[in-house]
Amino acid sequence: MTERPQLVLKQGKEQSLSRFHPWVFSGAVKGVKGPELTEGDIVEVLDSEDNFLAIGHYIIGSIAVRILSFNQEVIDYDFWKNRIQKAFDLRCAVGLADNANTNAFRLVHGEGDYLPGLIIDFYNGTAVVQMHTVGMYLVKDLIAKALQEVLGDRLKSVFNKSEGTMPYKADVEPVNGYIYGKSSEKIALENGLKFKVDWERGQKTGFFVDQRDNRSLIEHYSSNREVLNMFCYTGGFSFYAMRGGAKVVHSVDSSERAIQITNDNVELNFPGDKRHEAFAVDAFKYLNKIKNKYDLIILDPPAFAKHINVVKNALQGYRRLNAKALEQIRPGGILFTFSCSQVITKEQFRTMVFSAAARAGRKVRILQQLTQPADHPVDIYHPEGEYLKGLVVYVE
Ligand code: SAH
């Protein structure tokens, strides 16, 4: 094995690694040994007495290393292929691969698939790859090759969508584009519903696969209800509500482009259906004037907190939003409310909904507690991986 750079930890700072937590914070590092270390390198992590702990990608930032393995092993093509194979095996095990009704799923979920810094969503033959570290970016061609080997004929193309996800100071200049094949097939299926996925121009990888199970649940709550899908993006929740027998479905998003895709998606699934209307307007503006109009409201806002320092402000934002919806919803109404901020805990989220209910002066009962689906697995040693939180509440 060629000699690798080594990071030595301060005394006592090896504890989280000995519990298999996959991050090393820069404050835990005492010094560097061996060959020169540059961002993206594979680095060995040693305790203060030079005992081997783990290997991972070196990053310049508050997280200094994202761990790839707790064993002394070679990180080569076979390593990446095996990890991707395992990720695919899990999707087979949960019934998502080769499913006649669903061909959009998350194939690699970062730490949850022991591949920190890597996200891959699969849409009907196209794998959309997002790299979040230089180390992952440097092996993008190996990842594309491994995807071809693991997925075989299922794979038509690989699209690299890392332009907006790399650390902005990193010394690489990612350009979005195909790194294998090219696909014009942009329609994917989720539980039998059709969605146009725009991975080239859309947000994130083009679609939010993480709400699949929660969207499916909406279908069971929608019969005869008047539904508001707030922060609709490509309209996900709306079509399930329509299929579930809603009387009226209104989709709202501040982005004109999102509203356009939502309307296209309605046409794909329910051509000419007059129950649906979509509006490009700000959430707070809209919620201020809807008094008593809806008896099922979905609030799925973007992450208000991307960093631990802004949690307090974010919670205030969520509270204001939820209080507004709870004030306005009809008696007997149902609210689906979500947060996808990783830094907001389940408890904080629930306390926020509690204060929003108190502020709105409504009686509220929790019916169901929601999270992310099986293709977004959470490594038990990395609880931060559980980012999506949701509550279904009944409002008297
Ligand atoms: N529910 C969607 C995903 C929502 S993503 C799904 O199932 O796919 C969050 C959306 O919120 C984005 O489309 C973004 O354009 C929209 N958004 C952000 N700020 C907003 C605001 N102030 N008012 C309305 N929409 C907003």
Side-chain angles (χ1 to χ4, degrees):
M1 204 183 297
T2 53
E3 209 196 336
R4 295 191 283 220
Q6 295 174 320
L7 278 189
V8 185
L9 300 188
K10 293 176 186 161
Q11 200 177 2
K13 293 293 185 189
E14 68 289 342
Q15 277 185 5
S16 68
L17 286 186
S18 60
R19 287 193 300 265
F20 304 115
H21 191 276
W23 296 344
V24 174
F25 288 98
S26 56
V29 176
K30 186 168 79 180
V32 185
K33 298 207 298 193
E36 196 190 339
L37 185 58
T38 49
E39 182 157 26
D41 281 349
I42 299 285
V43 66
E44 291 186 8
V45 184
L46 311 179
D47 70 11
S48 59
E49 284 161 15
D50 282 356
N51 298 305
F52 174 86
L53 294 168
I55 36 179
H57 277 143
Y58 175 63
I59 301 153
I60 299 175
S62 71
I63 298 175
V65 187
R66 294 204 186 206
I67 301 303
L68 294 164
S69 174
F70 292 93
N71 298 318
Q72 267 285 15
E73 61 181 308
V74 183
I75 309 292
D76 56 4
Y77 173 69
D78 284 341
F79 174 89
W80 301 116
K81 197 192 79 189
N82 289 337
R83 287 280 159 102
I84 287 184
Q85 182 69 54
K86 280 193 175 162
F88 183 63
D89 292 348
L90 187 143
R91 275 69 189 172
C92 295
V94 300
L96 279 168
D98 304 321
N99 179 319
N101 292 318
T102 298
N103 57 27
F105 55 88
R106 179 150 293 189
L107 175 57
V108 171
H109 184 56
E111 282 83 355
D113 285 293
Y114 311 117
L115 286 165
L118 182 64
I119 298 290
I120 305 179
D121 285 338
F122 182 85
Y123 300 116
N124 190 13
T126 296
V128 182
V129 178
Q130 278 194 328
M131 274 87 184
H132 293 256
T133 60
V134 176
M136 279 297 178
Y137 191 76
L138 295 176
V139 294
K140 66 178 190 319
D141 294 328
L142 296 184
I143 301 285
K145 188 170 160 219
L147 283 168
Q148 291 164 55
E149 207 175 329
V150 170
L151 295 173
D153 290 346
R154 297 178 187 91
L155 187 76
K156 305 285 178 271
S157 63
V158 180
F159 188 81
N160 168 29
K161 183 90 190 281
S162 304
E163 237 174 70
T165 58
M166 294 292 289
Y168 85 109
K169 285 185 192 152
D171 200 14
V172 288
E173 280 173 27
V175 180
N176 291 345
Y178 288 95
I179 51 178
Y180 166 69
K182 187 169 171 38
S183 179
S184 51
E185 180 54 65
K186 297 257 167 70
I187 309 283
L189 267 186
E190 188 184 89
N191 293 315
L193 291 164
K194 295 188 197 110
F195 293 86
K196 188 171 154 192
V197 186
D198 185 359
W199 50 80
E200 292 176 29
R201 290 186 297 159
Q203 300 175 40
K204 303 277 173 90
T205 64
F207 186 63
F208 289 89
V209 273
D210 57 357
Q211 288 286 23
R212 182 192 321 105
D213 291 355
N214 303 328
R215 286 195 275 255
S216 190
L217 193 61
I218 281 283
E219 188 169 347
H220 303 288
Y221 277 98
S222 304
S223 176
N224 269 322
R225 290 197 181 260
E226 296 183 38
V227 179
L228 170 62
N229 178 11
M230 179 54 77
F231 307 98
C232 67
Y233 188 40
T234 57
F237 285 101
S238 302
F239 322 120
Y240 284 81
M242 291 174 84
R243 196 166 66 177
K247 269 198 288 206
V248 166
V249 179
H250 289 163
S251 306
V252 176
D253 197 288
S254 57
S255 149
E256 293 274 358
R257 173 93 189 121
I259 292 303
Q260 207 183 333
I261 301 180
T262 295
N263 281 326
D264 290 351
N265 280 333
V266 172
E267 265 318 289
L268 270 178
N269 292 287
F270 302 97
D273 197 321
K274 295 277 182 289
R275 290 177 298 158
H276 180 263
E277 271 186 274
F279 308 98
V281 41
D282 174 78
F284 285 94
K285 275 200 188 128
Y286 193 84
L287 287 171
N288 271 331
K289 22 170 230 216
I290 56 162
K291 199 83 195 138
N292 271 337
K293 203 162 161 188
Y294 301 105
D295 53 12
L296 201 172
I297 298 181
I298 300 136
L299 294 179
D300 183 24
F304 286 178
K306 295 227 164 97
H307 198 274
I308 196 94
N309 298 342
V310 294
V311 163
K312 206 169 150 233
N313 284 346
L315 283 170
Q316 275 168 10
Y318 283 119
R319 191 177 314 121
R320 225 155 50 84
L321 180 68
N322 281 270
K324 197 53 78 191
L326 287 167
E327 272 163 27
Q328 305 273 18
I329 200 166
R330 271 195 209 139
I334 288 172
L335 173 70
F336 272 64
T337 180
F338 296 97
S339 161
C340 59
S341 300
Q342 185 175 10
V343 290
I344 287 181
T345 65
K346 234 190 304 196
E347 291 69 33
Q348 284 170 321
F349 179 68
R350 191 171 159 152
T351 308
M352 175 282 292
V353 178
F354 161 91
S355 0
R359 184 184 291 190
R362 300 293 293 266
K363 277 183 102 172
V364 166
R365 278 179 283 171
I366 296 173
L367 304 180
Q368 284 184 275
Q369 309 194 32
L370 309 177
T371 184
Q372 62 218 49
D375 50 342
H376 295 61
V378 182
D379 175 4
I380 200 128
Y381 304 112
H382 179 252
E384 297 91 334
E386 188 181 344
Y387 68 99
L388 185 63
K389 297 140 279 260
L391 288 176
V392 185
V393 303
Y394 183 82
V395 191
E396 276 180 39

